[in-house]
């Protein structure tokens, strides 16, 4: 959104952030992180299931809250929409924001690549749609390390661990990791000797996990986890395990804040936090 008409301090005005899905766990964490960050402010919250007309923390008013996204955008004129909603709702949220020339930072999981490509057509010369499978900087480094190891080990298994409330499996991070590994293995002409579904006993279909190429993926859902991923590589006589754990949701906030600050410099569809880490 334009800064035109802003008067007052010679300092740049704070980026105005509208949090979509503000009632959820990640939405609440985003509200707190933006409040504590320099150079940005919570302009409002959007959640169609909310009954409140304002966001409050510790009994203090933070920003107005809305159940209609068009109304929210018109009222608060945000620079950035941060969307942590649901995969059934996020595409329409993104489309609406981009049509209003609001940049989007999206952490909602479960959106396939074809959907993102379609939504990216609404981000034209003036706006950007930034999507991250994982906003944890440590998780991105883990994926980078796994990409390097993929060139040298013929066998690989991806295990991802999440809380019971996660709505999709495998996780977007696991899919992105497996897709990168599969591509690099094909380039290196590596082929695994590990068995696939042909080894599964009758009545135990799925015990070897899902497959992306010959990379096996396994999803664990249990109370006690926030998010973790383990990539196990094997070759004769050795294994290499690369693992990252997010202990709580604050792990994702540095990446979210980085995306909020950088998205105004971008145009079109951009996928992956690694695309911003060197900007």
């Amino acid at each position: 959104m334009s800064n035109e008409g802003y008067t007052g301090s010679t300092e740049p005005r704070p980026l105005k952030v509208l949090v979509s899905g503000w009632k959820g766990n990640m939405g609440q964490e985003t509200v707190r992180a933006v409040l504590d960050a320099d150079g940005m402010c919570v302009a409002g919250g959007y959640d169609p299931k909310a009954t409140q007309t304002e966001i409050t923390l510790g009994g203090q008013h933070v920003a107005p809250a809305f159940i209609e996204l068009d109304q929210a955008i018109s009222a608060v004129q945000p620079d950035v929409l941060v969307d942590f909603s649901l995969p059934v709702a996020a595409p329409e949220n993104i489309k609406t924001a981009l049509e209003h020339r609001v940049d989007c930072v999206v952490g909602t999981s479960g959106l396939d690549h074809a959907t993102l490509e379609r939504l990216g057509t609404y981000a034209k010369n003036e706006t950007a749609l930034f999507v991250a499978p994982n906003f944890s900087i440590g998780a991105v480094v883990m994926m980078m390390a796994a990409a390097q190891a993929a060139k040298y080990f013929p066998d690989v298994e991806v295990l991802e661990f999440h809380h019971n409330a996660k709505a999709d499996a495998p996780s977007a991070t696991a899919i992105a990791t497996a897709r990168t590994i599969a591509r690099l293995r094909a380039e290196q002409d590596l082929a695994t000797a590990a068995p696939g579904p042909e080894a599964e006993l009758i009545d135990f279909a799925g015990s070897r996990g899902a497959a992306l190429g010959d990379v096996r993926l396994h999803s664990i859902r249990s109370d006690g986890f926030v998010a973790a991923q383990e990539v196990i590589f094997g070759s004769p006589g050795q294994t290499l395990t690369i693992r990252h754990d997010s202990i709580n949701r604050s792990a994702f906030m540095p990446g979210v804040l980085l995306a909020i600050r950088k998205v105004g410099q971008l145009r079109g569809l951009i996928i992956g936090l690694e695309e911003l880490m060197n900007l």
Side-chain angles (χ1 to χ4, degrees), residues 237-248:
Q238 62 179 327
T239 61
L240 171 66
T241 300
I242 302 171
R243 180 177 173 118
H244 174 265
D245 289 83
S246 295
I247 307 304
N248 58 55

Side-chain angles (χ1 to χ4, degrees), residues 84-103:
F84 282 107
S85 59
L86 297 170
V88 295
E92 188 62 30
N93 296 343
I94 294 164
K95 177 178 178 289
T96 297
L98 292 173
E99 287 179 335
H100 283 82
R101 299 181 182 179
V102 178
D103 293 320

Side-chain angles (χ1 to χ4, degrees), residues 112-205:
D112 61 43
H113 195 74
T115 298
L116 295 179
E117 289 283 357
R118 175 177 61 81
L119 292 170
T121 63
Y122 294 99
K124 299 182 180 177
N125 295 329
E126 299 173 334
T127 51
L129 167 57
F130 174 78
V131 183
N134 197 311
F135 277 97
S136 166
I137 291 172
V140 174
V141 173
M142 174 269 296
M143 294 168 70
M144 292 175 174
Q148 289 299 310
K151 303 172 185 177
Y152 306 104
F153 290 84
D155 298 335
V156 58
E157 308 269 335
V158 178
L159 292 79
E160 55 97 351
F161 309 77
H162 281 83
H163 52 87
N164 285 342
K166 185 166 179 59
D168 56 310
S171 69
T173 303
I175 293 170
T177 303
R179 183 174 287 122
T180 298
I181 289 172
R183 175 178 56 80
L184 292 169
R185 286 163 57 78
E187 291 174 0
Q188 298 293 317
D189 199 26
L190 284 173
T192 182
E198 72 279 1
E200 296 171 351
L201 295 176
I202 296 173
D203 298 330
F204 292 91

